[in-house]
Amino acid sequence: MTKVTVVGAGNVGATCADVLAYREIAEQIVLVDIKEGVAEGKALDIWQKAPINQYDSRTVGSTNDYSKTANSDVVVITSGLPRKPGMTRDDLIETNAGIVKSVTENVIKYSPNAIIIVVSNPLDVMTYQAHITSKLPRNKVIGMAGILDTARYRAFIADELNISSKEIQAILMGGHGDTMVPLPRYTTVAGIPVTEMIAKDKLDAIIERTKFGGGELVKLMGTSAWYAPGSAAAQMVESILKNQRRVFPVCIKLDGEYGIDDCYLGVPVILGKNGVEKVIELDLNEGEKALLEVSRGHVKEVMNVLDKLSSK
């Protein structure tokens, strides 16, 4: 039986569990949360709409009882707190790193062979935390950011061209946030380079909107997005469980690729039954390399914050 655990039954986690069930990606989905009854209630709600939407995936909930997650094939970690007024970046890192560390320890206790997908923020450094805590190979601890970021990028291009978003393929790299690196040179519309379809100034504006896409939603709603992030995590799970070997940008520890060592960055990979089957190295030009280096420096700076906090 294929089994997926989603830790964190907030908006993102519940959306991920719902998509996994609705699309019958896994036979059993376990939703775990620290708040009494929340995971159980949302899991029951998802199961009760199975007769309406015609799916057989079973969802169950658990309040902090990780024994129910035993033998999961994939674990999605969405746990963590949003940054609150008066909270410094270091405060957020320390708080969420503690949460991700505890969750990872519990997950590995019951599912030592699971592939871990991290969605918690700050994404790149939380992937780092889960990796060093789990002690799993790097291909089995990865972060979800690139699929979400490229989805936003593709959606904005579809709006500009007034066409189906299905026709747009794109890759972006780097950290999750303002220093991400969209790559117009690797963006196509039904195989046509996007640079032949959209003027440079308009494409530059789309890239800037993509970089701040998360912030745009926070301003509109007063909270972070959940439909797209939850769906993006579910898409990663599907590629793994079904061994689809799809090419996605995901956050992974680099060990020499792109000339970068010991840093967690979003890069294109082949995602299959073993997690990351291969890191794809693109032949970046000098401008793209410079942007990636800026992003690497930013992520490494945040990783260093975590290292200092851990050393205390």
Side-chain angles (χ1 to χ4, degrees):
M1 180 175 67
T2 52
K3 184 175 181 179
V4 176
T5 288
V6 180
V7 185
N11 289 331
V12 175
T15 297
C16 180
D18 186 37
V19 173
L20 290 170
Y22 179 72
R23 295 183 59 183
E24 296 186 316
I25 292 170
E27 292 169 83
Q28 185 179 49
I29 300 112
V30 181
L31 199 53
V32 181
D33 201 273
I34 196 171
K35 295 181 181 178
E36 187 73 38
V38 171
E40 290 89 340
K42 292 190 178 182
L44 182 59
D45 192 17
I46 293 170
W47 172 238
Q48 287 175 350
K49 75 181 180 71
I52 302 168
N53 291 137
Q54 299 288 291
Y55 56 81
D56 293 316
S57 296
R58 295 297 298 262
T59 48
V60 297
S62 168
T63 301
N64 256 8
D65 179 5
Y66 282 84
S67 66
K68 292 184 180 180
T69 72
N71 301 314
S72 293
D73 299 290
V74 182
V75 175
V76 181
I77 301 176
T78 72
S79 310
L81 299 177
R83 189 163 170 176
K84 298 176 181 178
M87 192 181 228
T88 67
R89 181 191 64 173
D90 290 8
D91 290 339
L92 180 65
I93 293 169
E94 184 173 21
T95 299
N96 283 353
I99 293 170
V100 170
K101 182 175 186 292
S102 174
V103 167
T104 304
E105 288 170 345
N106 282 309
V107 161
I108 291 300
K109 179 180 178 182
Y110 291 100
S111 301
N113 297 314
I115 293 169
I116 297 175
I117 297 173
V118 180
V119 184
S120 308
N121 279 316
L123 187 282
D124 308 288
V125 74
M126 291 304 109
T127 305
Y128 172 38
Q129 178 67 75
H131 186 206
I132 60 177
T133 301
S134 69
K135 299 181 175 62
L136 290 171
R138 67 168 182 154
N139 63 296
K140 298 187 74 173
V141 185
I142 52 182
M144 189 293 297
I147 294 176
L148 170 62
D149 295 331
T150 54
R152 289 171 173 161
Y153 181 42
R154 292 160 65 195
F156 298 152
I157 291 172
D159 281 343
E160 175 64 29
L161 295 174
N162 192 26
I163 61 171
S164 168
S165 62
K166 297 174 185 176
E167 300 296 339
I168 301 160
Q169 292 296 320
I171 286 288
L172 55 74
M173 296 174 60
H176 180 50
D178 304 350
T179 64
M180 71 177 74
V181 186
L183 299 171
R185 201 159 59 92
Y186 292 98
T187 305
T188 60
V189 181
I192 304 166
V194 72
T195 50
E196 295 184 19
M197 304 281 288
I198 300 178
K200 186 179 184 302
D201 59 334
K202 291 184 177 179
L203 190 56
D204 287 344
I206 288 172
I207 288 170
E208 285 305 298
R209 188 181 179 191
T210 300
K211 288 181 179 180
F212 300 96
E216 180 180 356
L217 289 162
V218 170
K219 287 180 181 178
L220 289 169
M221 303 188 296
T223 187
S224 300
W226 62 86
Y227 294 125
S231 298
Q235 190 173 58
M236 290 176 69
V237 174
E238 182 176 36
S239 190
I240 292 167
L241 288 185
K242 296 183 180 180
N243 195 30
Q244 292 176 331
R245 298 180 64 84
R246 296 193 64 181
V247 176
F248 289 133
V250 308
C251 177
I252 186 174
K253 180 188 179 187
L254 295 182
D255 283 336
E257 296 89 357
Y258 298 95
I260 297 171
D261 278 302
D262 197 27
C263 188
Y264 293 74
L265 282 177
V267 293
V269 307
I270 298 171
L271 199 60
K273 65 181 180 180
N274 299 307
V276 172
E277 306 284 351
K278 180 182 179 181
V279 173
I280 298 172
E281 290 195 69
L282 304 176
D283 185 16
L284 301 180
N285 62 33
E286 292 305 312
E288 292 160 347
K289 288 177 182 177
L291 290 172
L292 185 61
E293 176 57 26
V294 169
S295 193
R296 183 208 64 81
H298 176 78
V299 171
K300 195 65 178 177
E301 180 184 317
V302 183
M303 287 174 61
N304 290 339
V305 171
L306 179 62
D307 290 339
K308 289 176 183 177
L309 292 169
S310 299
S311 67
K312 293 179 182 179

